Amino acid sequence: MLPAVSRMAFGAFQRRAFSASARDLSKVAVLGAAGGIGQPLSLLLKLNPRVTELALYDIRGGPGHWLRGYPSGLASAVKGADVILIPAGVPRKPGMTRDDLFNTNASIVRDLAKACAESAPEANLLIIANPVNSTVPICAEVYKARGAYNPKRLFGVTTLDVVRASRFVSETKGTDPKDENITVSKHPELSSNAEIINRVQFGGDEVVKAKDGAGSATLSMAMAGARMAESVLRAAQGEKGVVEPTFVDSPLYKDQGVDFFASKVELGPNGVEKILPIGEVNAAEEKLIEACLADLKKNIAKGVSFVQANPGK
Ligand code: NAD
Ligand code: LMR
């Protein structure tokens, strides 16, 4: 299932990996590796010299399709992993909201999280499967039920939103997206441009519509997921000042009953090092945050009650 180029890169990759110090040895697992996101994400991770072991797991495909695959052994795929990415789950079709995926994806993520909590409780868990606002709280509940919850190690991958924002802002300015460091607040081109804000909010819908029934964003998400994994590994391997936007167990709006929020987070050797404040926002942005908090609270509660009512096996 993985493209042949991944296999060709393996030799060079092994040589680089060979010279890595013990501290830099990192196992990464991808659950849902045969999917639209999983395949290119796995290829990008395979090319990353920080990743010294890559475990690929999916319920689709057979052992012959895998570089180092674990089609039947989920526990062994995640065991010893430093980072586990979960893109397993169905994508949207036109006309659907992300919440419409809940009924299918909630139990997929719950069961995968259970295996991770039991076989790799120390791993950093990076959730891509939608609806992220609910699947992340689902994972938290699964870990709590096993006494294994560490809020510093659980991340909803929201990197794609800033990847899109950087691209849209750079288009208006004629700059390189990698030089546009988008923050929630105080980004002049973003704060004052309702059209770009709307496009970032609905970028996912734009792709779903364009794919016309064939799924949602895959290549951009693979790039965003690989970037997030790389940032977690850089911080784990001792690099200071690594910051990524991500959806985490957060104190920012807990006083309003919202336990998870996406903001810039400084990463460290233990996962979340510091949750950075939102900073100053203008009146229009304040309104957007208020509107989001009401929905977010419901999305989080839905994930929590799902696991409480359906703990699974
Ligand atoms: P896809 O259907 O192409 O791939 C999903 C893969 O998951 C399939 O290979 C499937 O066999 C596998 N899978 C299903 N159940 C599994 C299980 N129990 N164990 C292991 N593997 C399992 O979908 P896709 O386009 O790769 O999207 C995956 C998910 O990512 C969707 O929920 C989508 O909404 C979400 N997504 C999130 C973001 C984000 O920004 N966080 C961006 C894009 C897509
Ligand atoms: C995205 O923003 O592309 C993802 O969340 C997938 C989707 O369904 O929009």
Side-chain angles (χ1 to χ4, degrees):
M1 196 66 79
L2 279 179
V5 66
S6 176
R7 267 168 251 193
M8 284 169 356
F10 191 46
F13 165 80
Q14 270 185 320
R15 279 193 295 281
R16 275 202 305 272
F18 220 54
S19 60
S21 74
R23 195 181 67 151
D24 294 343
L25 296 176
S26 296
K27 176 175 175 178
V28 175
V30 180
L31 313 184
I37 296 168
Q39 288 192 47
L41 171 62
S42 302
L43 178 56
L44 291 172
L45 291 167
K46 192 72 215 161
L47 296 172
N48 184 337
R50 289 179 200 276
V51 181
T52 46
E53 185 180 348
L54 182 62
L56 307 178
Y57 174 82
D58 201 293
I59 51 170
R60 204 169 67 186
H65 292 125
W66 300 94
L67 192 64
R68 170 115 198 233
Y70 297 81
S72 57
L74 176 54
S76 63
V78 297
K79 202 168 177 58
D82 300 285
V83 175
I84 302 169
L85 294 118
I86 306 192
V90 294
R92 288 198 281 167
K93 289 192 181 339
M96 290 172 83
T97 65
R98 292 186 185 91
D99 189 54
D100 291 334
L101 302 173
F102 186 94
N103 288 345
T104 312
N105 290 353
S107 55
I108 294 176
V109 173
R110 177 200 60 198
D111 294 345
L112 293 173
K114 211 181 294 173
C116 298
E118 283 163 8
S119 299
E122 306 293 327
N124 294 290
L125 193 61
L126 276 53
I127 308 302
I128 294 172
N130 270 317
V132 166
N133 292 351
S134 302
T135 50
V136 170
I138 284 174
C139 293
E141 288 308 300
V142 167
Y143 275 64
K144 280 180 197 166
R146 282 154 188 79
Y149 183 49
N150 178 355
K152 291 180 186 296
R153 298 278 192 202
L154 175 61
F155 305 87
V157 181
T158 56
T159 327
L160 181 53
D161 298 314
V162 289
V163 165
R164 284 185 180 132
S166 306
R167 158 62 64 183
F168 300 153
V169 166
S170 76
E171 272 172 2
T172 67
K173 290 168 69 185
T175 53
D176 189 326
K178 78 170 168 25
D179 299 327
E180 294 298 337
N181 183 21
I182 302 294
T183 57
V184 172
S185 58
K186 286 219 169 147
H187 195 288
E189 283 78 14
L190 197 57
S191 295
S192 61
N193 192 327
E195 205 180 308
I196 295 188
I197 291 174
N198 187 272
R199 201 159 173 225
V200 173
Q201 278 186 299
F202 296 100
D205 299 61
E206 210 178 297
V207 179
V208 169
K209 217 166 155 190
K211 287 199 163 177
D212 197 18
S216 54
T218 50
L219 298 178
S220 55
M221 183 59 239
M223 177 267 181
R227 167 175 140 179
M228 182 64 192
E230 155 86 356
S231 293
V232 170
L233 289 175
R234 275 165 52 210
Q237 292 170 0
E239 191 174 322
K240 301 266 179 256
V242 181
V243 173
E244 282 290 353
T246 171
F247 182 67
V248 289
D249 191 320
S250 169
L252 291 179
Y253 293 98
K254 273 206 200 272
D255 61 346
Q256 295 183 50
V258 178
D259 288 336
F260 294 83
F261 198 77
S263 68
K264 285 173 100 176
V265 171
E266 189 177 327
L267 303 167
N270 302 310
V272 172
E273 187 77 30
K274 198 160 150 199
I275 293 171
L276 302 176
I278 295 291
E280 266 176 57
V281 288
N282 66 29
E285 287 166 333
E286 190 62 58
K287 274 206 162 126
L288 288 174
I289 292 177
E290 267 170 42
C292 122
L293 287 177
D295 277 347
L296 191 49
K297 200 170 171 176
K298 289 186 208 149
N299 298 152
I300 294 167
K302 190 170 174 179
V304 171
S305 351
F306 171 79
V307 179
Q308 286 169 357
N310 308 278
K313 280 183 273 155

